[in-house]
Amino acid sequence: MQQPQRGQQQGWRGPPQGQPQQMQQPQRGQAWRGTPPAPYAVPQRSPRDARAWHQQGGWQRQGGWQRHENWQEHRAHNWQNEHRSWAQRGGYGGTYIPRDRFYGRFGGEHPFRLREQPVIYQGYPRFRHGGFSFLIVDPYPEAWRDNWYYTDDVYIGFDDGYYLYSRNDPSVAIAITVMP
């Protein structure tokens, strides 16, 4: 089984199955994808600080993916070299999704399709889901179909920041940020 390509940490892709408060061990014959999931616990950050981080393009630190004015330029040439995890970027400093809303609409148990090509906003693709707007701050892999946003089920997980995963290729974690 291929492990996630996200820097040194390999972690949680959504809440554990069952009750959010309980961690279930994998069933016989199954294995965790990385470290066992931890409860969705995010640091407290003021909306003002999150907005400032976002306005300053905090995701661009440490060689993050730069702005592009059209969708076609957001496809990677070599995803392994162009992707950056949140840890490699210096950490996630944006807005957080409240715990109850995260468990109710996000994680691997809540796949969805974007259904349309993301709109370029300030040089980055933007999409909406679950009452939130997200920026894709990583390129999408060169191996993905041109219209993956229409054909592939995706989900949003959290480890050291938010990531977009495709159920067709869950080894790839595309960094995203919640718009303030």
Side-chain angles (χ1 to χ4, degrees):
M1 179 186 315
Q2 196 173 22
Q3 292 294 316
Q5 305 293 320
R6 295 192 322 89
Q8 320 239 314
Q9 296 180 348
Q10 297 175 6
W12 191 40
R13 296 172 183 264
Q17 297 290 331
Q19 297 298 322
Q21 299 87 344
Q22 299 173 346
M23 285 183 30
Q24 294 180 351
Q25 295 297 317
Q27 294 179 5
R28 188 177 187 133
Q30 295 179 334
W32 294 112
R33 290 187 179 178
T35 57
Y40 179 71
V42 295
Q44 295 298 316
R45 176 171 295 117
S46 76
R48 181 179 174 201
D49 289 345
R51 252 189 321 279
W53 179 86
H54 198 273
Q55 288 170 345
Q56 295 166 4
W59 61 85
Q60 294 174 335
R61 296 182 187 140
Q62 312 294 329
W65 186 249
Q66 299 300 307
R67 333 165 48 105
H68 296 282
E69 296 308 316
N70 67 58
W71 173 250
Q72 291 74 22
E73 293 174 337
H74 283 278
R75 182 182 211 120
H77 297 288
N78 183 327
W79 192 83
Q80 295 273 26
N81 292 335
E82 296 171 82
H83 161 73
R84 298 290 178 270
S85 70
W86 282 113
Q88 291 170 316
R89 295 167 193 270
Y92 181 78
T95 300
Y96 288 100
I97 299 168
R99 179 183 166 94
D100 61 332
R101 290 186 68 190
F102 186 85
Y103 280 125
R105 296 193 172 197
F106 301 97
E109 295 79 22
H110 301 282
F112 62 98
R113 289 193 182 171
L114 298 183
R115 301 217 183 273
E116 61 187 11
Q117 180 178 301
V119 174
I120 303 300
Y121 176 78
Q122 296 182 350
Y124 293 90
R126 180 178 73 181
F127 69 93
R128 296 179 191 280
H129 175 69
F132 293 90
S133 184
F134 298 89
L135 279 187
I136 301 173
V137 296
D138 250 352
Y140 67 93
E142 65 277 12
W144 285 16
R145 293 179 243 191
D146 289 338
N147 64 345
W148 64 267
Y149 50 84
Y150 188 73
T151 61
D152 295 359
D153 288 337
V154 296
Y155 60 95
I156 295 172
F158 183 87
D159 188 356
D160 50 351
Y162 294 99
Y163 294 94
L164 183 69
Y165 298 92
S166 169
R167 292 184 76 164
N168 291 340
D169 190 0
S171 66
V172 172
I174 297 176
I176 60 175
T177 181
V178 181
M179 301 278 294

